[in-house]
Amino acid sequence: MHINPIQLFDAESSTYTYILAAANGEAAIIDPVDRHCERDLAHLRRLGLRLAYALETHAHADHVTSSGRLRELTGALACAPSGCGIAPADRQLEDGELVRFGDEQITVLHTPGHTAGSVSFLWRGNLFTGDTLLIDGCGRTDFQGGSAGALYDSVHARLFTLPDATRVWPGHDYRGQSVSTIGWEKRHNARLAGRGREDFIALMAALDLPQPKLIDVAVPANRRLGLAHAA
Ligand code: FE2
């Protein structure tokens, strides 16, 4: 058993994928990326792990998931947040739900804002925030039902109320940072620390970001778990 998650990186989209392992050899993977399916399977083989679950934090706009393919190849169950329109998932995750594998459990926290359905996952004091909370930043809030006000509330009411020592494992990082803590982000996050709700909403509205290059391809593909056709 590893008490830390195994963190894997996709350099094209700066996406982090995480593997969590239980003592009995069962594992869960969070936000796997299509082009790294073989790499991720090789990690599981090398570590003698059986994949029980593939979990999505949301329907991504910047890369395509390998959850559907991993399900085919390993028999893992695909789990997606109920509010993300990912119909072929084996489980539609609701706020507060537990995903159990071996002696381990992952708690689902609905943290809307980046997208309406976005969730974070909590496991052994490790928080996997998807694009809700990034290290010294946060995900954009201008598409897929995104809402700056909802993101602010999710972070302040749900995430910043967790213990300061909770480790923050983001869905992306663009500057080579790999892990942070709730205490650090509460005090130093450039967008969220010490900023009022209206100020944050105005800041997000002023970002004026270009559409992600892959959004028209990636979101529909991710709603099929990355498979060419609905499973
Ligand atoms: Fe995203």
Side-chain angles (χ1 to χ4, degrees):
M1 183 188 63
H2 307 265
I3 58 163
N4 285 316
I6 298 158
Q7 185 182 49
L8 301 161
F9 189 60
D10 171 52
E12 274 182 64
S13 63
S14 298
T15 298
Y16 282 128
T17 295
Y18 299 94
I19 295 173
L20 318 185
N24 73 348
E26 289 193 354
I29 194 165
I30 297 173
D31 287 340
V33 175
D34 59 354
R35 54 186 157 261
H36 297 303
C37 192
E38 288 308 318
R39 175 200 67 182
D40 297 346
L41 288 168
H43 274 288
L44 293 166
R45 274 195 302 274
R46 175 176 71 84
L47 298 166
L49 300 173
R50 295 184 307 283
L51 192 65
Y53 291 105
L55 302 132
E56 301 290 338
T57 54
H58 61 293
H60 311 278
D62 60 351
H63 68 271
V64 175
T65 179
S66 63
S67 280
R69 186 98 180 98
L70 287 170
R71 175 169 73 177
E72 287 176 355
L73 293 172
T74 69
L77 297 180
C79 303
S82 63
C84 287
I86 305 174
D90 301 288
R91 278 177 65 176
Q92 298 287 333
L93 301 174
E94 303 287 346
D95 184 55
E97 199 169 322
L98 300 177
V99 177
R100 297 177 199 276
F101 59 106
D103 290 334
E104 303 296 325
Q105 61 179 39
I106 299 168
T107 304
V108 178
L109 302 176
H110 182 215
T111 50
H114 171 60
T115 72
S118 288
V119 300
S120 301
F121 297 117
L122 185 61
W123 171 74
R124 284 181 172 269
N126 296 286
L127 182 68
F128 303 90
T129 51
D131 296 1
T132 302
L133 176 65
L134 304 178
I135 298 174
D136 199 28
C138 64
R140 60 195 290 177
T141 55
D142 56 339
F143 53 69
Q144 290 179 268
S147 155
L151 189 136
Y152 186 91
D153 295 340
S154 291
V155 169
H156 282 272
R158 304 288 319 261
L159 303 186
F160 282 180
T161 53
L162 293 168
D164 277 4
T166 306
R167 279 167 290 182
V168 173
W169 301 93
H172 298 282
D173 192 83
Y174 305 94
R175 290 172 287 179
Q177 306 164 109
S178 63
V179 63
S180 182
T181 63
I182 284 295
W184 186 269
E185 296 308 318
K186 232 161 53 177
R187 280 186 278 283
H188 302 295
N189 188 292
R191 288 196 183 158
L192 287 148
R195 192 184 293 276
R197 194 174 190 274
E198 295 311 312
D199 190 10
F200 177 75
I201 292 169
L203 171 83
M204 295 305 285
L207 288 180
D208 196 25
L209 299 166
Q211 282 282 95
K213 287 192 287 287
L214 280 178
I215 188 168
D216 294 332
V217 176
V219 173
N222 285 323
R223 291 196 166 130
R224 299 187 304 267
L225 292 173
L227 298 168
H229 303 286

